[in-house]
Amino acid sequence: MRDFVLETAGKLRSGAVTSVALTRRYIQAIEQKNEALGAYVHPMFDSALQAAEQADERLKRGDAPLLCGIPMTLKDNICTKGALTTCCSRMLEGYVPFYNATVWEKLQREGAVLLGKTNMDEFAMGSACETGCYGPARNPVDPTRVPGGSSGGGAAAVGADLAVYAIGSDTGGSIRQPASFCGLVGLKPTYGAVSRYGLIAYGSSLDQIGPITHSVRDAAAVYDALFGADSRDGTSEQAPYADTLSAITGEVKGLKVGVAKEYFEGLSGAVREGVETAVDAYRKMGAEIVSLSLPALQLALPAYYIIACAEASSNLGRYDGIRYGKRADSYRDVNDMIAKTRTERFGKEVQRRIMLGTYVLSSGYYDAYYKKACALRSVIRAQFAACFTACDVLLAPTAPTTAFRLGYTAQNPIETYLSDVCTVPVNVAGLPAVSLPCGRDPEGLPIGMQLIGGVFDEPKILNAAYAYECFAAGQGNAEGGVA
Amino acid sequence: MVTESEIKKLAKLARLNPSEEELAVLTREMADILAFADTINRNVGEAEAGSAHPRMIEWEALRPDVPAESWPTAEILQNVDGGVDGFYAVQRSKLK
């Protein structure tokens, strides 16, 4: 697997290419391919070229950080001062923030070149990148398939080589599942590892920002730039800094890899085979495989939807056409204005989740749903913690299937929600997880597996992921499969 | 089983105004979703309500409350069509 970020950084440093030339090349590719792919919703070519010029000056001076001059993307729910940030919703049509998200501030300091904002499910609610107001994004591996969601635009951009890396957000798998569907690496960091300041909130106790890249080492390099406490995000943690990229050696001899049987229920045959082959690969690399059980996993999905929708109904209450949101054109009075604004400008999936959130928080149902889901969250956390006394990392599939066809998800909400079954437990527990490719199904679609660690175990999971990446490449398959 | 009148009431609480047709679809979908969400009530035995706190990560102390400069008014008003005398002008609405 090629380290696109690290290779590009090397070329920029050696002078083999300039950031301006590279950025122009990416702009040209976006102009050619984006209409068919729908990866970008707000291209930012002029500012990208300006940033590239500044990056070239820093590179010439020799004081440029690792990510300086590298063209990249941000998901459309990450605030960028002076540039459209719409969450792919008609509600935020024309919204231009007057402040930057902390992650974007950090990347700007690194000298990152932002090519544009990428497509997503509206307000990050979806698993297919189909619910946004700008239309669907498509999977670069097979354009008749979805790229996954909600950070599908970022994954499509990286997969089609329309950006070197993408920054997404993961509330219930929105980085890992698109990475899996597009044959990429996606890291969901520990809750609190990366500041959420400037990330437009969906489920505040679940949301986390992270990278989508071509390789594990690339993901580590970008994560190192994003990591860190932020006084503007009270939930960000003062964890000791560990240089993740340097910590990656690929050595996994003696590592205890846990495999929980509950993760393997309801998988497609190809996914099961792909992930079981990866388990064998770890055995061959000298890791110890530990069989485990996480019974609460079966309840993580309903608990997740209760908590996420409850938080969404509260977070999205601000979109009333007064405080936030583009107001309805005509209305009778202020109540009519608020209802019309919200009904006309929120999409159907967003409205459905607001309704569910309102229901589980309403008098008479709060104890039965929300309070129990929160209690269950503690049980899930405790079961994960117990697992990590018996193993170092957990290995699981990222999604029960490979990428599905465009339009398929719109038919049945529960079936759509079930596609998140493997990813949501990690968000409920606040743990880090990295998804990486582990082969292809008979139709040539990528299969993804995830490595899950304890709180702030990013170096450990990325090291284990890198070991597999090297092993797969050694078997002659750069796309992760070892079969 | 959730009824259409409950969904109507819920929509009012959520400040949404679905059409009659949308209401019927929502009622059906919400019934499915709530049946699914209800699985926690059928299986949650060991997770007794009240035994847990929803916050996931404990932090030792809140940061000091340091006053900071507010955003420049001109920058804030860039987000609206136009300010009036340094304020955000809201269209007058007639109340019933």
Side-chain angles (χ1 to χ4, degrees):
Chain A
M1 183 55 67
R2 283 177 60 192
D3 296 326
F4 274 55
V5 170
L6 300 176
E7 275 181 26
T8 307
K11 282 180 189 166
L12 287 166
R13 265 166 187 67
S14 70
V17 67
T18 65
S19 179
V20 168
L22 192 65
T23 303
R24 283 191 203 286
R25 208 182 299 161
Y26 275 101
I27 290 172
Q28 201 178 9
I30 293 165
E31 284 172 342
Q32 282 170 0
K33 294 185 192 171
N34 193 53
E35 202 178 331
L37 212 57
Y40 285 84
V41 290
H42 309 305
M44 296 164 64
F45 298 154
D46 290 342
S47 58
L49 285 167
Q50 278 172 15
E53 279 172 22
Q54 287 165 8
D56 281 335
E57 282 167 24
R58 281 176 87 179
L59 285 157
K60 266 186 214 156
R61 287 200 304 268
D63 61 350
L66 184 67
L67 301 180
C68 186
I70 300 179
M72 46 72 69
T73 74
L74 289 176
K75 190 174 176 178
D76 196 29
N77 60 353
I78 296 173
C79 285
T80 42
K81 185 176 177 177
L84 283 169
T85 303
T86 66
C87 282
C88 289
S89 175
R90 291 187 63 230
M91 181 60 90
L92 283 173
E93 188 185 320
Y95 175 61
V96 178
F98 54 88
Y99 68 102
N100 281 320
T102 296
V103 289
W104 176 227
E105 267 181 7
K106 286 188 170 198
L107 289 169
Q108 273 184 312
R109 279 201 293 273
E110 287 272 317
V113 175
L114 177 60
L115 291 164
K117 310 294 278 287
T118 49
N119 206 345
M120 58 184 280
D121 284 296
E122 185 181 7
F123 281 101
M125 296 179 191
S127 311
C129 205
E130 285 184 304
T131 67
C133 67
Y134 303 105
R138 290 169 184 270
N139 192 320
V141 178
D142 175 353
T144 67
R145 308 271 174 166
V146 301
S150 62
S151 312
V158 175
D161 201 16
L162 302 183
V164 180
Y165 67 93
I167 302 296
S169 66
D170 191 317
T171 306
S174 290
I175 288 173
R176 288 163 289 150
Q177 188 247 31
S180 166
F181 281 10
C182 295
L184 299 166
V185 173
L187 173 67
K188 183 261 164 199
T190 303
Y191 184 79
V194 176
S195 169
R196 292 182 296 111
Y197 177 77
L199 170 69
I200 295 178
Y202 161 21
S204 305
S205 74
L206 305 155
D207 297 338
Q208 191 58 199
I209 296 173
I212 298 174
T213 58
H214 282 280
S215 75
V216 173
R217 275 161 48 84
D218 281 357
V222 179
Y223 169 70
D224 281 342
L226 301 180
F227 172 87
D230 180 8
S231 61
R232 294 174 296 186
D233 174 6
T235 61
S236 68
E237 282 281 298
Q238 291 282 1
Y241 174 69
D243 183 345
T244 316
L245 182 59
S246 304
I248 292 178
T249 61
E251 179 54 60
V252 289
K253 213 167 218 168
L255 186 83
K256 288 182 179 172
V257 177
V259 179
K261 60 179 184 191
E262 289 81 3
Y263 268 116
F264 288 76
E265 289 165 10
L267 301 182
S268 77
V271 172
R272 175 184 290 275
E273 198 179 318
V275 179
E276 283 176 352
T277 309
V279 173
D280 278 343
Y282 276 102
R283 201 175 277 125
K284 285 176 191 159
M285 286 187 278
E288 185 187 333
I289 307 300
V290 183
S291 295
L292 298 163
S293 178
L294 274 160
L297 271 188
Q298 291 157 337
L299 300 175
L301 192 64
Y304 165 81
Y305 272 97
I306 290 167
I307 293 167
C309 292
E311 292 181 10
S313 73
S314 171
N315 277 325
L316 273 59
R318 73 192 68 170
Y319 301 102
D320 52 14
I322 300 169
R323 290 169 295 173
Y324 283 93
K326 195 168 170 72
R327 193 177 304 168
D329 295 327
S330 62
Y331 42 84
R332 285 194 315 275
D333 53 40
V334 71
N335 288 320
D336 188 46
M337 181 199 78
I338 293 171
K340 266 193 175 162
T341 296
R342 289 167 66 81
T343 309
E344 287 173 10
R345 299 210 167 265
F346 281 139
K348 295 293 166 225
E349 183 57 36
V350 173
Q351 291 189 33
R352 202 184 284 140
R353 294 192 194 199
I354 289 173
M355 293 277 281
L356 178 62
T358 307
Y359 184 87
V360 300
L361 289 178
S362 61
S363 172
Y365 298 105
Y366 178 88
D367 285 356
Y369 291 99
Y370 183 70
K371 208 170 169 187
K372 276 196 181 152
C374 288
L376 192 56
R377 179 179 222 172
S378 288
V379 174
I380 293 164
R381 286 185 68 198
Q383 288 192 2
F384 269 114
C387 273
F388 291 122
T389 60
C391 69
D392 299 303
V393 298
L394 272 169
L395 193 158
T398 306
T401 64
T402 50
F404 32 85
R405 291 199 183 276
L406 277 164
Y408 177 74
T409 52
Q411 309 304 318
N412 182 343
I414 297 293
E415 201 178 330
T416 308
Y417 298 169
L418 283 169
S419 69
D420 300 335
V421 69
C422 300
T423 48
V424 298
V426 159
N427 300 77
V428 171
L431 301 174
V434 60
S435 174
L436 69 158
C438 64
R440 299 227 169 191
D441 74 2
E443 292 179 86
L445 298 167
I447 299 167
M449 67 169 178
Q450 55 179 339
L451 290 158
I452 303 163
V455 169
F456 292 111
D457 270 351
E458 279 85 348
K460 206 183 273 182
I461 57 170
L462 287 166
N463 185 55
Y466 179 59
Y468 178 80
E469 206 176 63
C470 295
F471 184 86
Q475 302 285 307
N477 189 345
E479 286 164 348
V482 291
Chain B
M1 187 69 182
V2 67
T3 62
E4 197 162 313
S5 68
E6 280 178 308
I7 293 296
K8 212 169 189 170
K9 194 176 161 195
L10 202 61
K12 200 175 172 190
L13 276 173
R15 313 202 80 165
L16 295 167
N17 189 17
S19 65
E20 290 299 317
E21 201 177 295
E22 287 167 338
L23 210 60
V25 176
L26 260 173
T27 306
R28 212 171 42 242
E29 288 176 349
M30 284 293 288
D32 287 347
I33 295 169
L34 287 168
F36 174 64
D38 226 18
T39 52
I40 68 162
N41 285 317
R42 293 198 294 270
N43 298 283
V44 80
E46 58 188 307
E48 279 306 312
S51 66
H53 193 287
R55 193 174 64 189
M56 287 192 301
I57 294 175
E58 299 295 333
W59 55 89
E60 286 176 3
L62 295 172
R63 66 177 168 82
D65 192 8
V66 184
E69 287 292 312
S70 60
W71 286 98
T73 309
E75 271 194 45
I76 295 169
L77 289 176
Q78 278 176 6
N79 287 281
V80 295
D81 291 338
V84 176
D85 298 332
F87 292 99
Y88 173 26
V90 182
Q91 196 181 330
R92 186 184 294 275
S93 292
K94 274 187 185 170
L95 295 176
K96 271 184 183 172

